[in-house]
Amino acid sequence: MSAAPAKVALLGAGRMGQVHGRNAAANPRLDLVYLVDPRPDAAAQLAAALGCPVATLADALADPALAGVLVATSTDTHLDLVLACLEVGKAVFCEKPLDLDPARLRAHARVLANPPAPLYVAFNRRFDPHFRALKTKLDGGAIGTLETLHLISHDPAPPPPSFIPTSGGLFRDFTIHDFDMARWLLGEAPAEVFAWAECLVDPAIAAAGDVDTARLVLRCASGRLCVISNTRRSGYGYDQRVEAYGAKGALMAGNPRLSTLETWSEAGTLAAPIYPSFPARYAASYRAELDHFADVLAGAARPLTGYEASLGALLLADAAARSLREGRLVAVEAP
Amino acid sequence: MSAAPAKVALLGAGRMGQVHGRNAAANPRLDLVYLVDPRPDAAAQLAAALGCPVATLADALADPALAGVLVATSTDTHLDLVLACLEVGKAVFCEKPLDLDPARLRAHARVLANPPAPLYVAFNRRFDPHFRALKTKLDGGAIGTLETLHLISHDPAPPPPSFIPTSGGLFRDFTIHDFDMARWLLGEAPAEVFAWAECLVDPAIAAAGDVDTARLVLRCASGRLCVISNTRRSGYGYDQRVEAYGAKGALMAGNPRLSTLETWSEAGTLAAPIYPSFPARYAASYRAELDHFADVLAGAARPLTGYEASLGALLLADAAARSLREGRLVAVEAP
Amino acid sequence: MSAAPAKVALLGAGRMGQVHGRNAAANPRLDLVYLVDPRPDAAAQLAAALGCPVATLADALADPALAGVLVATSTDTHLDLVLACLEVGKAVFCEKPLDLDPARLRAHARVLANPPAPLYVAFNRRFDPHFRALKTKLDGGAIGTLETLHLISHDPAPPPPSFIPTSGGLFRDFTIHDFDMARWLLGEAPAEVFAWAECLVDPAIAAAGDVDTARLVLRCASGRLCVISNTRRSGYGYDQRVEAYGAKGALMAGNPRLSTLETWSEAGTLAAPIYPSFPARYAASYRAELDHFADVLAGAARPLTGYEASLGALLLADAAARSLREGRLVAVEAP
Amino acid sequence: MSAAPAKVALLGAGRMGQVHGRNAAANPRLDLVYLVDPRPDAAAQLAAALGCPVATLADALADPALAGVLVATSTDTHLDLVLACLEVGKAVFCEKPLDLDPARLRAHARVLANPPAPLYVAFNRRFDPHFRALKTKLDGGAIGTLETLHLISHDPAPPPPSFIPTSGGLFRDFTIHDFDMARWLLGEAPAEVFAWAECLVDPAIAAAGDVDTARLVLRCASGRLCVISNTRRSGYGYDQRVEAYGAKGALMAGNPRLSTLETWSEAGTLAAPIYPSFPARYAASYRAELDHFADVLAGAARPLTGYEASLGALLLADAAARSLREGRLVAVEAP
């Protein structure tokens, strides 16, 4: 605790930049010294809120005291920025995904897989305290050998249809988190996938060529099975659960609620709503992954997820898309 | 199981007579052979439903094959009928209370405390599976030494005001069950009681000289404390709970619900209602106490509750009434 | 209620015969008058317990006062017995399945689909109060249009390996209940199925040519999706749940527990176990389906499930088996 | 939000000083500019952690830019410091209690009841999100007229015996929070109190002249009743609950848990533990009350609790102590 805070720069003043920026500013082990965003207004506004100067990327990277960079720009810029940072030896915290194109990732495999500075790709759900408690018990043998897994990820309401064409499709945009969770929790790489998906929520999503409701089954070489449930509109909040079934029992990580309040009436007992959206539901995980990055910068930890996790989740998404297109079981490429 | 069912007679075709009669008819270890009720219509109707002949009390008691009698008549007849049955050596299952007058009970202490045939007084809650599960864990040391107890007994809706003057008052009519539960669960006799009660539900109850909402504290010689919460109108169903706090933890027996159904909406998660009334909530306890009586008739058990439990609960009710009247702490007489 | 109880005969004194026999004996609207079983010992023992004479099938069916027959014999005899009863105009309650061979069922389609007397095939789970509460809310529009369904059916422990070869395989023996539940709850026939199954629990099951762990996805013509989760060994009890997701929310029917008792300690809050096995978990459904049969006999209801439900569930099982064998999505035949 | 943060000083670098200091440092609407503590080591250590200079009280109060003072020193210094701050027109956030002597408080009633600058006394539980959600629903009429209240406040483990003689006794030290909660939630002043308390946890507490287990009943003029349950050792964590019973139903605010994880085994379903101690359980309330103080400093709110709440809770504690001593019901003085 006695070490000086590590100096970091934030790239991107958008939605995720604001989340990571606020958490970095509040983290006593990080010192946010530069904010970089080419849009002057957005940059100035967030900089003021964070009490952090605006800088150019070049100036920030030229600072020898800078230890790390938080990349929270638009997805299509992630990879180039990450490479630029790594090249000058800065540790990187990159908002997910690293890139949406497996071929591009593989083209840079040499540097990304063994980077000259640490590279953390922000699969934040691995840092959610509820899922982490499950993982800890699972690893501790509480339910014996894991046999099947069920991941539930339901959004409260669909995005505007205009978002769909730029999203990369349900599997790359949305299920990608579940693919990473599956890889993390299964303890073994999924070997095959079968995807079933429909457009049940909003015809505009179908018109844009996408689906909004999906059930996928992943199978590992050992026979271990994983079901993923997705919908873009639950009607009851942001539903994020993990169910792990093993030889000796089961572990269930459920939804935290807005409060512990129960209302008892003749209609029954009403528990308070679950969280309505991801920023509130996953607030603790965003803080915890910055703590992890602080550990990485302090040399006390290696990044939990990087190139392999990014490529692995992406290859699962691509296999699922192919399964859906071709109506058949598809083998998953190894990352 | 190979023994022939024990022959029993039912006295009383009213509400509790119907409950016990149906359970007796369905119990393979009991053979309901007589129904006695001076009201011909009521008797005939229940007898038809149960497939059991109507008889006079004299004829029933004269049958040497008759092993036991279920007394489910009006409260003011209980004691005389019980004495008549015991006199001719018939085992008795007597609906609670044995009598409302401690002096009358004591006047017959010799025969009631050491009856010539077994006498069970139906404090049915001791046979509720939820409370019984709690008692079993408590006795097994699950929470170490018991320190405090909280009994919650809330009726869904008040009785008609016309019932109040004949009820014996809240403590004798309603809290009596909680007094028995306290005596059973505390494992030691309450030594003192302080009662606070109000009429908050229905002014007609106050007009009839009674209260409808109460909080009582009982204290044992060891310092062990018990709170009893009563209301005649909950607004959310028939609420019956026990909370036991010990040196190493707590045991909570809650309310079963109409089903396990949960409805998830933006308003929250609605669990199904708890039971709306005592006949449904305590159905299992009524069946179980008849099983207990079958055990008693078979010589396999001694009655769990009889004269001492009846008098003990009644003396607590009287002490509570005095505490309320005099606004002070009152010592409880030993039964 | 004033009608005389309907006279019924019970065929079969085995496990399910005992369940239905006891419920029939306790049901005031049924009068169990014959027990038929070719094994004298089994017949005599159950007849004594039920207080019901043993008879031959011919004698029972020859009784013009006999209204209905409960068929609870071994599976391979069901169809012939059902046909024999229907032929002489007796209403039939047939323990599931009617037959394991779709071709045989179809060969008798004329009489089974429009039987001369009512034919109920005992898919008891439709009468479980928890699932029925869910179905009622679903039909009442509580969650808007149903979109996806999740059926969880996990056995506590696998059967002896010797049972497997005679079982018909996991899908016909075990998942058959879930197939019927899916047909009932989806409100539309599943059009396609994809089945993934493994032997993870007991290698002896694989040696016998079967699987013990499965995940299936059913798809309706409307796009509605249903996941079925099965395992022959949960390690935590008999887990039976339904989750229904709609446009406006979700309905969840969970597991009843042995009691409402909670134990609070430093380790957390321990709720009582769920039921350990199907006879206890589904006891209420067995009673309720006999009530339904009493309604049928009284002319107050038509059988909820018969030939079409039997054939429909069986065709789903066969499609699932084919999907598993061939590793592909399979279209489901209409019954 | 565009206003500059309000400058505040923190008095006290002890346990509560650390809590409030960290929250003040992280609150974007507050600017912590001075830390005052006569113990140089403690002051220097916390100042370093907070990035805030150490100052003398005189220097801090002499700063005309200083808007408010957080008083988190030892209890016996609170009142003098508060008076000193108010005298020079600084708004005050005073850690509870303002003082333990009603006579001293009353001696300064003129200035404390109508202070020259705002005075907030930190009854933090009123800012707990769970209790606040209950209060909001209660005020919104969700359960009709409030009739009875139950406050549960159980510590996980007793303090060291050496703390007891300096604590002021259970009612002033511990129950004081519940007295304030009762005053807040009842919506009317308690008129009478009956207290029953024992030493059941640790004989050393009795040796020090105090009790560790209590049940109290408060009564309002309207007849509304409130039970308070206290123990210094629960054996299962830090148990903080509120139950409010009204004419149309009930509201229950329960214990948040360390996570939503459930472990399903044959023993039952184990929910994660509740919080083990107050700093974790009430962390959100400490942050929220500093937000409230920021509102007060911005002129956007009046202090929720001040002189009257302090004196009111203290007078309840004194009445309870008298009730316990004299074994009788005691009327509560108005503040």
Side-chain angles (χ1 to χ4, degrees):
Chain A
M1 274 291 190
S2 57
K7 293 186 189 305
V8 296
L10 169 64
L11 314 190
R15 192 173 60 171
M16 289 312 297
Q18 290 166 36
V19 169
H20 296 310
R22 283 206 194 91
N23 287 335
N27 192 314
R29 299 163 66 205
L30 298 177
D31 186 8
L32 183 61
V33 291
Y34 301 111
L35 171 61
V36 178
D37 192 297
R39 300 163 300 167
D41 283 4
Q45 196 172 342
L46 183 58
L50 300 176
C52 157
V54 175
T56 65
L57 177 62
D59 284 353
L61 293 186
D63 181 349
L66 190 77
V69 180
L70 312 175
V71 178
T73 55
S74 61
T75 294
D76 56 352
T77 65
H78 285 183
L79 186 54
D80 289 343
L81 290 170
V82 165
L83 292 168
C85 295
L86 292 177
E87 200 164 292
V88 295
K90 305 302 183 192
V92 177
F93 172 117
C94 180
E95 183 48 40
K96 164 214 75 82
L98 197 47
D99 198 84
L100 285 174
D101 180 355
R104 280 197 73 199
L105 286 176
R106 281 169 162 163
H108 296 281
R110 205 185 37 80
V111 62
L112 293 170
N114 294 291
L119 167 61
Y120 167 69
V121 181
F123 285 102
N124 66 295
R125 291 188 193 176
R126 295 198 188 192
F127 291 93
D128 174 76
H130 311 282
F131 299 156
R132 194 146 271 251
L134 184 146
K135 171 72 166 158
T136 300
K137 276 234 177 179
L138 188 60
D139 290 351
I143 57 167
T145 306
L146 177 70
E147 291 174 354
T148 57
L149 191 66
H150 188 196
L151 306 177
I152 296 99
S153 181
H154 295 176
D155 249 14
S162 63
F163 167 74
I164 299 294
T166 72
S167 70
L170 186 78
F171 298 144
R172 282 186 172 186
D173 169 56
F174 189 100
T175 322
I176 195 82
H177 279 293
D178 303 299
F179 291 133
D180 181 62
M181 289 288 284
R183 296 183 80 252
W184 182 49
L185 292 170
L186 284 169
E188 133 184 57
E192 295 172 296
V193 61
F194 184 87
W196 230 337
E198 302 287 336
C199 181
L200 299 176
V201 170
D202 185 350
I205 292 174
D210 203 4
V211 291
D212 51 34
T213 308
R215 292 297 180 276
L216 303 98
V217 187
L218 314 182
R219 185 185 166 277
C220 299
S222 69
R224 204 165 273 181
L225 299 174
C226 173
V227 171
I228 296 172
S229 294
N230 287 158
T231 177
R232 285 213 183 261
R233 185 263 294 113
S234 71
Y236 58 85
Y238 185 55
D239 185 8
Q240 302 283 301
R241 284 175 284 146
V242 172
E243 301 175 357
Y245 300 91
K248 291 194 249 165
L251 295 168
M252 313 271 189
N255 290 300
R257 297 180 179 279
L258 293 184
S259 79
T260 59
L261 187 64
E262 289 182 354
T263 306
W264 293 48
S265 72
E266 285 183 353
T269 298
L270 182 70
I274 63 174
Y275 280 92
S277 62
F278 80 86
R281 167 66 174 85
Y282 282 121
S285 76
Y286 293 126
R287 285 196 300 269
E289 65 177 357
L290 266 187
D291 264 336
H292 173 63
F293 191 57
D295 283 343
V296 167
L297 291 175
R302 298 178 52 186
L304 183 61
T305 45
Y307 168 75
E308 197 206 339
S310 299
L311 183 56
L314 199 54
L315 291 171
L316 268 166
D318 284 2
R322 212 170 328 128
S323 169
L324 179 61
R325 238 167 19 238
E326 305 179 4
R328 62 175 187 85
L329 200 158
V330 167
V332 182
E333 284 181 52
Chain B
M1 272 295 190
S2 58
K7 292 187 191 302
V8 294
L10 169 63
L11 315 190
R15 191 171 62 172
M16 288 314 296
Q18 291 166 36
V19 169
H20 295 311
R22 284 206 193 91
N23 287 335
N27 192 315
R29 300 163 66 205
L30 298 178
D31 187 8
L32 183 60
V33 291
Y34 302 111
L35 172 61
V36 179
D37 193 296
R39 299 164 300 167
D41 284 5
Q45 196 172 342
L46 184 57
L50 300 176
C52 157
V54 174
T56 64
L57 177 61
D59 285 352
L61 293 187
D63 181 349
L66 190 77
V69 180
L70 311 176
V71 178
T73 54
S74 62
T75 294
D76 55 354
T77 66
H78 284 184
L79 186 54
D80 289 341
L81 289 170
V82 165
L83 292 169
C85 295
L86 291 178
E87 200 165 290
V88 295
K90 305 302 185 194
V92 178
F93 173 117
C94 180
E95 182 49 38
K96 164 213 77 79
L98 196 47
D99 199 84
L100 286 174
D101 180 354
R104 281 198 72 200
L105 286 175
R106 281 169 161 165
H108 296 279
R110 207 187 35 82
V111 62
L112 293 170
N114 295 291
L119 166 61
Y120 167 69
V121 181
F123 284 103
N124 66 296
R125 291 189 194 175
R126 294 199 188 190
F127 290 93
D128 175 76
H130 311 282
F131 299 155
R132 194 146 271 249
L134 183 145
K135 171 73 166 158
T136 301
K137 276 233 178 180
L138 187 61
D139 289 351
I143 57 167
T145 306
L146 177 69
E147 291 172 354
T148 57
L149 191 67
H150 188 196
L151 306 177
I152 297 98
S153 181
H154 295 176
D155 249 14
S162 63
F163 166 74
I164 299 295
T166 72
S167 70
L170 186 79
F171 298 146
R172 281 187 173 185
D173 170 56
F174 188 100
T175 322
I176 194 82
H177 279 293
D178 304 299
F179 290 133
D180 182 62
M181 288 289 283
R183 294 184 80 251
W184 182 48
L185 294 170
L186 284 169
E188 135 185 55
E192 296 172 295
V193 60
F194 184 87
W196 230 337
E198 301 287 336
C199 180
L200 298 177
V201 171
D202 185 349
I205 292 175
D210 203 4
V211 290
D212 50 36
T213 307
R215 292 297 180 275
L216 303 96
V217 187
L218 314 182
R219 185 184 165 277
C220 300
S222 70
R224 205 166 272 181
L225 299 174
C226 172
V227 171
I228 297 174
S229 295
N230 288 158
T231 177
R232 285 211 182 261
R233 185 261 296 112
S234 73
Y236 58 84
Y238 184 55
D239 185 8
Q240 301 283 300
R241 286 174 282 148
V242 172
E243 302 174 357
Y245 300 90
K248 292 193 248 163
L251 296 167
M252 313 271 190
N255 291 299
R257 296 180 180 278
L258 293 184
S259 78
T260 60
L261 186 64
E262 290 182 354
T263 305
W264 294 47
S265 73
E266 286 183 353
T269 297
L270 182 70
I274 63 173
Y275 281 91
S277 62
F278 79 85
R281 168 65 175 86
Y282 282 121
S285 75
Y286 293 125
R287 287 196 299 269
E289 64 178 356
L290 266 187
D291 263 336
H292 174 62
F293 191 57
D295 283 343
V296 167
L297 291 176
R302 298 178 53 187
L304 184 59
T305 44
Y307 168 75
E308 198 207 339
S310 298
L311 183 58
L314 199 53
L315 292 172
L316 268 166
D318 285 1
R322 212 169 329 128
S323 169
L324 180 60
R325 238 168 16 239
E326 306 179 3
R328 64 175 185 87
L329 200 159
V330 167
V332 182
E333 284 180 53
Chain C
M1 273 293 190
S2 58
K7 292 186 189 305
V8 296
L10 169 64
L11 314 190
R15 191 172 60 171
M16 289 313 298
Q18 290 166 36
V19 169
H20 296 311
R22 285 206 193 90
N23 287 334
N27 192 314
R29 300 162 67 205
L30 298 178
D31 187 8
L32 183 60
V33 291
Y34 302 111
L35 171 61
V36 179
D37 192 298
R39 299 163 301 168
D41 283 4
Q45 194 172 344
L46 184 58
L50 300 176
C52 156
V54 174
T56 64
L57 177 62
D59 284 353
L61 294 186
D63 180 350
L66 190 77
V69 180
L70 311 176
V71 179
T73 54
S74 62
T75 294
D76 55 353
T77 65
H78 284 184
L79 185 54
D80 289 342
L81 290 170
V82 165
L83 291 169
C85 295
L86 292 177
E87 201 164 292
V88 295
K90 305 301 186 194
V92 178
F93 172 116
C94 180
E95 183 47 39
K96 164 213 75 81
L98 196 46
D99 199 87
L100 284 174
D101 181 354
R104 279 198 73 199
L105 286 176
R106 280 169 163 163
H108 295 281
R110 204 184 38 79
V111 63
L112 293 170
N114 295 290
L119 167 61
Y120 166 70
V121 181
F123 285 103
N124 66 295
R125 290 187 195 178
R126 295 198 188 192
F127 291 93
D128 174 76
H130 310 282
F131 299 156
R132 194 147 271 249
L134 183 146
K135 171 74 166 156
T136 301
K137 277 233 176 179
L138 188 60
D139 290 351
I143 57 167
T145 306
L146 177 69
E147 291 173 355
T148 56
L149 191 67
H150 189 196
L151 306 177
I152 296 98
S153 181
H154 295 176
D155 250 14
S162 62
F163 167 73
I164 299 294
T166 72
S167 71
L170 186 78
F171 298 146
R172 282 186 172 186
D173 168 57
F174 188 101
T175 322
I176 194 82
H177 278 294
D178 303 299
F179 290 133
D180 181 62
M181 289 289 284
R183 295 184 79 250
W184 181 49
L185 293 171
L186 284 168
E188 136 183 55
E192 296 173 296
V193 60
F194 183 87
W196 230 337
E198 302 287 336
C199 181
L200 299 176
V201 170
D202 185 351
I205 292 175
D210 203 3
V211 290
D212 52 35
T213 307
R215 293 295 181 275
L216 303 97
V217 187
L218 313 183
R219 185 185 166 277
C220 300
S222 70
R224 205 166 273 181
L225 299 173
C226 173
V227 171
I228 296 172
S229 295
N230 288 158
T231 178
R232 284 209 182 264
R233 186 263 294 112
S234 72
Y236 58 85
Y238 184 54
D239 185 8
Q240 302 282 300
R241 285 174 284 146
V242 172
E243 302 175 356
Y245 299 91
K248 292 194 249 164
L251 296 168
M252 313 271 189
N255 290 301
R257 295 180 181 279
L258 293 185
S259 80
T260 60
L261 186 64
E262 289 181 355
T263 305
W264 294 47
S265 72
E266 285 184 354
T269 298
L270 181 70
I274 63 174
Y275 279 92
S277 62
F278 80 86
R281 168 66 174 85
Y282 282 121
S285 76
Y286 293 126
R287 287 195 301 268
E289 66 177 355
L290 265 188
D291 264 336
H292 173 62
F293 191 56
D295 283 343
V296 167
L297 292 175
R302 298 179 52 188
L304 183 61
T305 44
Y307 168 75
E308 198 206 338
S310 298
L311 184 57
L314 199 53
L315 292 172
L316 268 166
D318 284 1
R322 211 170 328 128
S323 169
L324 180 61
R325 239 168 16 239
E326 305 179 5
R328 65 176 183 85
L329 199 158
V330 167
V332 182
E333 284 181 53
Chain D
M1 274 295 190
S2 57
K7 291 184 191 308
V8 296
L10 169 64
L11 314 190
R15 192 171 60 171
M16 290 312 298
Q18 290 166 34
V19 170
H20 296 312
R22 285 207 191 90
N23 287 334
N27 192 313
R29 300 162 67 204
L30 298 178
D31 187 7
L32 183 61
V33 291
Y34 302 111
L35 171 61
V36 178
D37 193 298
R39 300 164 300 168
D41 283 4
Q45 194 172 343
L46 183 57
L50 301 175
C52 157
V54 175
T56 64
L57 177 61
D59 284 351
L61 294 187
D63 181 350
L66 189 78
V69 180
L70 311 176
V71 177
T73 54
S74 60
T75 294
D76 56 352
T77 65
H78 285 184
L79 185 55
D80 289 342
L81 290 170
V82 166
L83 292 169
C85 294
L86 292 178
E87 200 165 293
V88 294
K90 305 303 184 192
V92 176
F93 172 116
C94 179
E95 183 47 40
K96 166 212 75 78
L98 196 45
D99 198 85
L100 285 175
D101 180 353
R104 279 199 73 199
L105 286 176
R106 281 170 162 164
H108 296 280
R110 205 184 38 79
V111 62
L112 293 171
N114 294 291
L119 167 62
Y120 167 70
V121 180
F123 284 103
N124 65 295
R125 291 188 194 176
R126 295 198 188 192
F127 290 93
D128 174 76
H130 310 283
F131 299 156
R132 194 146 271 250
L134 184 145
K135 171 74 167 156
T136 300
K137 277 233 177 179
L138 187 62
D139 290 350
I143 57 168
T145 306
L146 177 69
E147 291 172 355
T148 57
L149 192 66
H150 188 195
L151 306 177
I152 297 99
S153 181
H154 295 176
D155 249 14
S162 62
F163 166 74
I164 299 294
T166 72
S167 70
L170 187 78
F171 298 145
R172 282 186 171 185
D173 169 56
F174 189 99
T175 321
I176 194 83
H177 278 293
D178 304 298
F179 291 132
D180 182 62
M181 289 289 284
R183 296 184 80 252
W184 181 49
L185 293 169
L186 284 169
E188 144 183 45
E192 296 172 296
V193 60
F194 184 87
W196 229 337
E198 302 287 337
C199 181
L200 299 177
V201 169
D202 185 349
I205 292 175
D210 203 3
V211 290
D212 50 37
T213 307
R215 293 296 181 274
L216 304 97
V217 187
L218 314 182
R219 186 187 165 274
C220 300
S222 70
R224 204 166 273 181
L225 300 173
C226 173
V227 171
I228 297 173
S229 295
N230 289 159
T231 176
R232 284 212 182 262
R233 186 262 295 112
S234 72
Y236 58 85
Y238 185 55
D239 184 8
Q240 301 284 300
R241 286 175 283 145
V242 172
E243 302 175 357
Y245 299 91
K248 292 194 248 164
L251 296 168
M252 312 271 191
N255 290 301
R257 295 180 181 280
L258 293 185
S259 79
T260 61
L261 186 64
E262 289 181 354
T263 305
W264 294 46
S265 73
E266 286 184 353
T269 298
L270 182 70
I274 63 174
Y275 280 91
S277 62
F278 79 86
R281 167 65 175 86
Y282 282 121
S285 76
Y286 294 126
R287 287 194 300 268
E289 65 177 356
L290 266 188
D291 263 336
H292 173 63
F293 191 57
D295 283 343
V296 167
L297 291 175
R302 297 177 53 187
L304 183 60
T305 43
Y307 169 75
E308 197 206 339
S310 298
L311 183 57
L314 199 54
L315 291 171
L316 269 165
D318 285 0
R322 211 170 328 130
S323 169
L324 179 62
R325 239 170 13 241
E326 305 179 3
R328 64 175 184 88
L329 199 158
V330 167
V332 181
E333 284 181 54

